[in-house]
Amino acid sequence: MLEIRRLVLLRELSIRGTLSAVARAMNLSPSSVSEQLSQLERETRTQLLRRVGRNVQLTETALALVGRVEPILDALEQAEAALTSADGAISGRVRLAAFQSAALTLIPPALTRLREHHPGLRLEVVQYEPEQALHEAWARDFDVVVAEQYPGHSAPHWPGLDRRQLLRDELQLAVPADLTVDGGPLPPGGELAALLRHRPLPWVMEPHGTATRHWAEQLIRSAGHEPDVRFVSADLQSHVRLVESGNAVALLPGLTLVDHAARLRRIPLAGRPLRTVFTSIRSSSARSPAVVAVRDALEAAAGRVDMETDA
């Protein structure tokens, strides 16, 4: 009988590429990972790894074995779900990854709901970029992911992950409340064009490589301009503060602006573009009472926040 933990390490190596990366992910030492995989080779009486320079590479036999591991892990996950639901009480641990604005607006009310209805459930939350979080959910490091996708940018689809919409979030132009152009107010309906033409303030945007940055740059370039980006941060709250303080303008999702309406001006964009916020879980955990409870709590929170965003 093969040891499932060693099979998991082999799968992790196929995902992460190096023994040191597997060790970090599994909270083990590289030497321990190497020894466990050597033991698996002895158990299977087959070469599973070959040395390539300073790294190792999976053999064809190892890759075939990895392909058999996923259904086993799915079955174990389903068995665990059946056990946890046997007595009717919802308990256990759920690992959740969420991007920043969701972590600030959706997670607190979801936690409150879970604490009231399922006090035995332990929810662990980590702030993560959506694309990486989806990969880590596929790799089984997270159970639930709150992710986003922008117009024209689909988030990656990993096998065995489903997705369910939480809310549609309008993308808006955010400017200082008292911003003027050439001594006068921004022209109604032509605010973005006036900002691009007169450049009263620079832009704050997210780093290159993010879907948010690409979408914002394309919107401005399609209007025939290149944005004057002087401030770059992955922290959208810093974007809001730069706008509120009169030092920048920004393109931001409504979810980020819910509590800031009095201190900056929110301007609709042509076509009212929307980003989609959704949850994603492994299909094998779809019947887990704990995962279902977390997803339900997030959807309840999203319903309330959606009304505030529209207001």
Side-chain angles (χ1 to χ4, degrees), residues 15-96:
I15 293 170
R16 305 189 188 279
T18 66
L19 294 173
S20 58
V22 174
R24 287 193 298 271
M26 303 297 288
N27 292 318
L28 298 170
S29 67
S31 61
S32 176
V33 173
S34 179
E35 173 55 33
Q36 290 295 311
L37 292 176
S38 296
Q39 180 63 30
L40 183 61
E41 286 188 314
R42 290 191 289 271
E43 289 176 350
T44 60
R45 299 179 182 179
T46 306
Q47 183 184 5
L48 300 175
L49 306 177
R50 65 169 65 93
R51 180 68 60 177
V52 179
R54 300 179 64 182
N55 295 318
V56 294
Q57 189 176 76
L58 274 68
T59 63
E60 291 299 320
T61 302
L63 291 172
L65 187 56
V66 166
R68 301 282 185 171
V69 176
E70 200 71 34
I72 296 172
L73 295 178
D74 287 346
L76 287 173
E77 193 163 39
Q78 291 161 3
E80 289 174 357
L83 286 173
T84 57
S85 61
D87 62 359
I90 296 178
S91 60
R93 179 181 71 143
V94 175
R95 300 158 299 175
L96 184 148

Side-chain angles (χ1 to χ4, degrees), residues 3-298:
E3 170 59 55
I4 185 63
R5 293 181 181 177
R6 294 178 185 133
L7 292 173
V8 168
L9 288 176
L10 187 67
R11 175 184 179 271
E12 287 289 324
L13 183 58
S14 73
I15 293 170
R16 305 189 188 279
T18 66
L19 294 173
S20 58
V22 174
R24 287 193 298 271
M26 303 297 288
N27 292 318
L28 298 170
S29 67
S31 61
S32 176
V33 173
S34 179
E35 173 55 33
Q36 290 295 311
L37 292 176
S38 296
Q39 180 63 30
L40 183 61
E41 286 188 314
R42 290 191 289 271
E43 289 176 350
T44 60
R45 299 179 182 179
T46 306
Q47 183 184 5
L48 300 175
L49 306 177
R50 65 169 65 93
R51 180 68 60 177
V52 179
R54 300 179 64 182
N55 295 318
V56 294
Q57 189 176 76
L58 274 68
T59 63
E60 291 299 320
T61 302
L63 291 172
L65 187 56
V66 166
R68 301 282 185 171
V69 176
E70 200 71 34
I72 296 172
L73 295 178
D74 287 346
L76 287 173
E77 193 163 39
Q78 291 161 3
E80 289 174 357
L83 286 173
T84 57
S85 61
D87 62 359
I90 296 178
S91 60
R93 179 181 71 143
V94 175
R95 300 158 299 175
L96 184 148
F99 60 94
Q100 187 193 48
S101 54
L104 290 172
T105 55
L106 298 178
I107 300 303
L111 284 169
T112 300
R113 179 186 176 94
L114 290 170
R115 188 175 66 252
E116 292 172 351
H117 295 281
H118 309 294
L121 179 61
R122 176 185 175 92
L123 181 63
E124 299 177 356
V125 182
V126 178
Q127 185 177 313
Y128 239 80
E129 288 302 307
E131 291 195 7
Q132 183 64 22
L134 290 168
H135 174 270
E136 295 302 311
W138 171 75
R140 299 180 183 269
D141 280 356
F142 295 120
D143 303 304
V144 181
V145 171
V146 181
E148 62 177 348
Q149 60 185 24
Y150 278 71
H153 295 266
S154 177
H157 286 267
W158 289 94
L161 294 188
D162 80 349
R163 56 179 66 186
R164 201 157 76 194
Q165 181 177 305
L166 274 177
L167 54 85
R168 303 291 299 280
D169 191 15
E170 184 176 347
L171 299 163
Q172 301 172 328
L173 175 63
V175 303
D178 58 354
L179 180 66
T180 60
V181 173
D182 288 342
L186 292 171
E191 295 92 348
L192 179 60
L195 290 178
L196 296 177
R197 187 168 57 253
H198 297 284
R199 295 194 173 200
L201 289 173
W203 290 87
V204 54
M205 290 188 180
E206 290 201 51
H208 283 294
T210 60
T212 317
R213 176 66 176 264
H214 185 261
W215 172 80
E217 287 181 333
Q218 290 305 305
L219 179 71
I220 293 171
R221 287 169 180 166
S222 65
H225 297 269
E226 187 66 23
D228 177 17
V229 181
R230 299 188 200 174
F231 312 110
V232 177
S233 174
D235 179 3
L236 293 186
Q237 293 304 301
S238 69
H239 293 212
V240 172
R241 289 296 299 126
L242 284 167
V243 174
E244 288 179 328
S245 62
N247 289 294
V249 293
L251 293 164
L252 293 170
L255 200 60
T256 308
L257 303 171
V258 168
D259 297 323
H260 300 272
R263 299 188 293 276
L264 52 75
R265 184 179 171 197
R266 298 163 53 174
I267 301 171
L269 296 167
R272 311 290 291 245
L274 302 169
R275 72 166 175 174
T276 302
V277 179
F278 61 92
T279 57
S280 185
I281 65 171
R282 288 181 299 280
S283 300
S284 57
S285 67
R287 294 185 179 180
S288 163
V291 170
V292 170
V294 170
R295 215 175 199 185
D296 288 346
L298 288 167

